[in-house]
Every structure is written in structure tokens, then in C-alpha cells.
Amino acid sequence: MRVPHHAPPTALPAGAAAAGSPPQSPRVPPWALAAILLVSGLLLFGCCFCLYRKRCRRRLGKKSQAQAQVHLQEVKELGRSYIDKVQPEVEELEPAPSGPGSQAAEKHELGRLQYSLDYDFQSGQLLVGIVQAEGLAALDLGGSSDPYVRVYLLPDKRRRHETKVHRQTLNPHFGENFAFKVPYVELGGRVLVMAVYDFDRFSRNDAIGEVRVPMSSVDLGRPVLAWRELQAAPREEQEKLGDICFSLRYVPTAGKLTVIVLEAKNLKKMDVGGLSDPYVKVHLLQGGKKVRKKKTTIKKNTLNPYYNEAFSFEVPCDQVQKVQVELTVLDYDKLGKNEAIGRVAVGAAAGGAGLRHWADMLANPRRPIAQWHSLRPPDRVRPLPAP
């Protein structure tokens, strides 16, 4: 009987799973688990941070809106306070009734001036001394004036002298002397004028009053020292320089002042052909000093230029009372020096139309306020006010 032959069992290859056993899942490395946890933590932190910032922004937005409302209210109140202080221009005032009563009142209101006169026969000079003044009229809003005296001999108004400016006083002591070289034989036909003015850095200087002395009535055989009451100065017919229109806009929350130069009309003829080449310089002044400057384009051969050009300046809300804007219209000259036609100043320190425009701008924040202004003669160089 044959014994069946059994083949030896075949060995399974290494790594092969036995038939019928379940497959094993691959193991995740530890570094991958750490990376997943880190990314999950960062995403969670980012979501929380975004929610926190959104909440903070809402709070800041409400706070900034409240602050903006406060700034707007402050600027509006400031504008209204300036409107109450606006004084009419000299041209807008009706002439006062003339008569003995009004003349007597003017004498008391304008003040008086002390002066001295002498004639140097060796040099042929008339010596005029401006000694002092007292009881001058107060032309500034603070109830005072910044007086100085202009001295000239009619009919020649071009040769004149001016004293120093004295700040905030109605009783200035000048103590200044001036000389006019005039032959003695011609002196009798002359009239000495001593006009007292109130100095204003940003607008036209106003006449307080004047003293007129016909030299034919003075005995110059000896020195003269006298007091005279100031009389109202006659209004001078000013040369027409033209008008300029511009708008002002102030945004308190952004601290932004915008000046839009719109147009000008009836400008003075500066060129030989009877026209001009006008452009406008816009200066921002602080403490009397020019801190920023802009200018428009040049318009050729016209006396009625149209610009519509905007210029912006950064002016914080707490500085708006301390700045002024000055616009100067100039005639461009390709070969020579550009000559100023006239100027306008607006701001808290201005008067008349300049202060009125500034007050309207502050009383209406964020809104452009346009207004026409008559050009004034460019300021002459003056001595600095005495301390």
C-alpha cells in the first residue's frame, strides 16, 4: 500500500498578509499630527482676532462720529461768533451828516496830535516833529488801535514820511523828526498834512484823522510846539483794480481748507496793448508769515480770466483761528518782473468782506462758500510795529 506523498508547504513572501486576515491601516507620523494641530490653532486664533477687530472698529467708528459732531459744532459756533464781529467796509458806510454838532463829536472821538515845526535857513529844510497823540479813536475789535503817522507836504504827496507803528495804544509817544527840503520862498504855498492811521497787517489801514497846517499861517521865525485836534480825513478816490471771485470750504474732521479760485473781472490794464496776463498766488499765513504757497495757471491777454482751480491746505481745527489766506493777482511778464495788480485777505484777523467770508465758511462746514471781493492795492513795505 502506497503512502501518499505530501509536498512541503510553500513559504509566503515577506510582508505578504495571510489569506483571510484584515488589512492594517498606515500609521500617521507624529510630525504630521503636530502640524495639523498647529494650523488648526492658528485658524482659530485668526477667527477670534478678526471678530475682536470688527468689534473694536465699531466702537471707534461711533467714537469718531461723536468727535466729528463735536468738531462741527465747535466750528459752527466759531463762525457765528465771527459773524457778530463783522464790521462793514468803509465803502459800505453811509456818510455821516455834516454839521456843527457832528464836527464837535468827531473832534472828541478822533483824538489830538502834538507836533513841532522849525525851519533851518542854512540847509533850506522844514523840520517836522511828531511828538505824541492822545485820546485816539479805537478802530480795532479789542477797543484799541495800532497808530502811526504819515507826513507829507501838499501838493506833493509822493514825498512822504511815516513814523513807526505803536501797538495797541490810544496814547502813543512817537518822538520822531522828519525833514523836507523846500526853499523858504516856496513854503507859503504848501500845506503840511499829518495823517494818523490804524495799522492792519491783513487788510487796508484805516485813517483815524488828520491835521492840516497851511504853512502861510505859521511864523517860522521861532520853533513851534502845538496841539491840534484831529479832523476826519477826506475819502480818497481809489483806483479800480478789479474784482475776484473764490470759494472757501473747511472740513473740520479732516483738517482740510480748500480754496477754489473761480474767476476775476475788470482787472487793471497792465500791458501796453491794454490787456494783462493775470494769474493768482494763494498764500496761507500763520502768525503773519507765509507758510504755504500755490498759484494758478496764467491766462493770456485778458482782463476777465476764468480759472476754476482748487488748492487745499492742511489746517487742524485748533489752528483755524490763527491762519489767514491771502490772494494776490499778478500780471505775468516774460521779460521783466511780474507786477502785482491787487490783493485780498480773508481770515479771523481780516475785516469787512474778508472776515465775513471767513465767518460764513466756518458757520457752514463742508460746504463751499463763494463770494466776490474787490482787489486792494498791494501793501507797501512798512516798519514793524514797536514792541
Side-chain angles (χ1 to χ4, degrees):
M1 185 174 181
R2 294 181 64 182
V3 178
H5 177 73
H6 295 281
T10 306
L12 294 174
S21 64
Q24 295 182 357
S25 60
R27 296 182 60 186
V28 179
W31 62 266
L33 289 174
I36 293 172
L37 291 175
L38 180 62
V39 170
S40 301
L42 289 175
L43 288 175
L44 182 62
F45 176 77
C47 292
C48 295
F49 182 72
C50 289
L51 291 174
Y52 176 76
R53 283 193 63 184
K54 190 174 181 180
R55 189 174 180 182
C56 289
R57 282 180 181 176
R58 287 180 181 175
R59 290 182 180 178
L60 290 175
K62 292 179 180 179
K63 187 175 180 181
S64 62
Q65 288 178 0
Q67 289 178 347
Q69 292 296 330
V70 171
H71 286 315
L72 286 174
Q73 191 63 28
E74 288 179 355
V75 171
K76 286 182 180 179
E77 292 176 358
L78 183 62
R80 295 190 189 102
S81 68
Y82 284 148
I83 291 175
D84 295 336
K85 297 178 182 178
V86 172
Q87 300 293 326
E89 295 279 12
V90 176
E91 291 81 358
E92 299 172 357
L93 297 176
E94 296 182 357
S98 59
S102 62
Q103 290 178 0
E106 284 180 354
K107 288 182 180 179
H108 290 294
E109 291 177 359
L110 300 181
R112 59 179 190 155
L113 178 70
Q114 187 183 34
Y115 64 94
S116 65
L117 296 176
D118 197 5
Y119 190 80
D120 188 340
F121 288 91
Q122 292 183 351
S123 61
Q125 289 184 326
L126 174 66
L127 306 178
V128 182
I130 305 299
V131 183
Q132 60 180 321
E134 67 177 23
L136 296 179
L139 299 187
D140 294 343
L141 296 177
S144 187
S145 292
D146 300 325
Y148 71 96
V149 183
R150 183 181 297 170
V151 187
Y152 53 93
L153 270 173
L154 291 177
D156 186 6
K157 294 183 66 173
R158 293 175 298 175
R159 296 176 56 192
R160 64 189 185 191
H161 301 281
E162 293 180 356
T163 68
K164 294 180 181 178
V165 179
H166 290 252
R167 281 186 179 274
Q168 298 181 357
T169 177
L170 302 179
N171 303 284
H173 289 264
F174 297 103
E176 297 186 45
N177 299 290
F178 308 104
F180 295 89
K181 191 169 183 63
V182 183
Y184 184 76
V185 294
E186 299 178 6
L187 201 56
R190 301 294 191 95
V191 177
L192 176 66
V193 180
M194 295 167 283
V196 183
Y197 286 84
D198 173 43
F199 175 81
D200 194 326
R201 187 183 297 273
F202 302 108
S203 64
R204 184 178 58 186
N205 301 327
D206 298 318
I208 299 176
E210 68 177 21
V211 171
R212 295 196 173 212
V213 181
M215 297 310 300
S216 58
S217 65
V218 180
D219 180 11
L220 293 175
R222 57 181 181 178
V224 176
L225 181 64
W227 281 95
R228 288 280 297 273
E229 299 285 344
L230 293 177
Q231 305 294 325
R235 289 179 58 183
E236 299 179 1
E237 188 67 26
Q238 288 194 348
E239 183 183 15
K240 298 296 183 181
L241 303 175
D243 304 287
I244 185 171
C245 182
F246 58 93
S247 73
L248 298 174
R249 179 176 182 261
Y250 184 63
V251 182
T253 52
K256 185 177 180 182
L257 172 66
T258 303
V259 181
I260 302 179
V261 182
L262 296 171
E263 59 180 313
K265 65 180 181 180
N266 303 325
L267 295 179
K268 180 184 175 182
K269 301 173 184 178
M270 305 295 288
D271 296 342
V272 178
L275 294 173
S276 295
D277 301 325
Y279 69 98
V280 183
K281 274 187 180 180
V282 184
H283 286 99
L284 181 71
L285 295 91
Q286 187 170 13
K289 296 181 179 179
K290 297 176 180 178
V291 294
R292 295 286 186 276
K293 179 179 72 172
K294 313 270 187 176
K295 63 181 180 180
T296 67
T297 55
I298 300 169
K299 304 299 180 181
K300 294 285 188 178
N301 301 324
T302 179
L303 300 179
N304 302 282
Y306 180 79
Y307 298 101
N308 195 24
E309 299 181 30
F311 308 99
S312 296
F313 302 94
E314 292 183 3
V315 180
C317 193
D318 58 348
Q319 298 292 318
V320 73
Q321 301 182 67
K322 303 175 183 178
V323 299
Q324 293 81 33
V325 176
E326 180 181 286
L327 292 89
T328 305
V329 182
L330 299 100
D331 174 45
Y332 172 75
D333 194 327
K334 195 171 186 178
L335 301 177
K337 182 180 178 182
N338 299 335
E339 189 174 356
I341 299 175
R343 59 178 286 276
V344 170
V346 294
L355 178 58
R356 185 184 301 115
H357 196 175
W358 194 258
D360 289 341
M361 174 198 72
L362 294 178
N364 300 275
R366 296 180 177 175
R367 288 179 53 194
I369 305 297
Q371 186 172 316
W372 281 96
H373 293 261
S374 296
L375 293 175
R376 304 291 184 187
D379 285 346
R380 296 183 177 89
V381 178
R382 301 191 182 282
L384 292 174

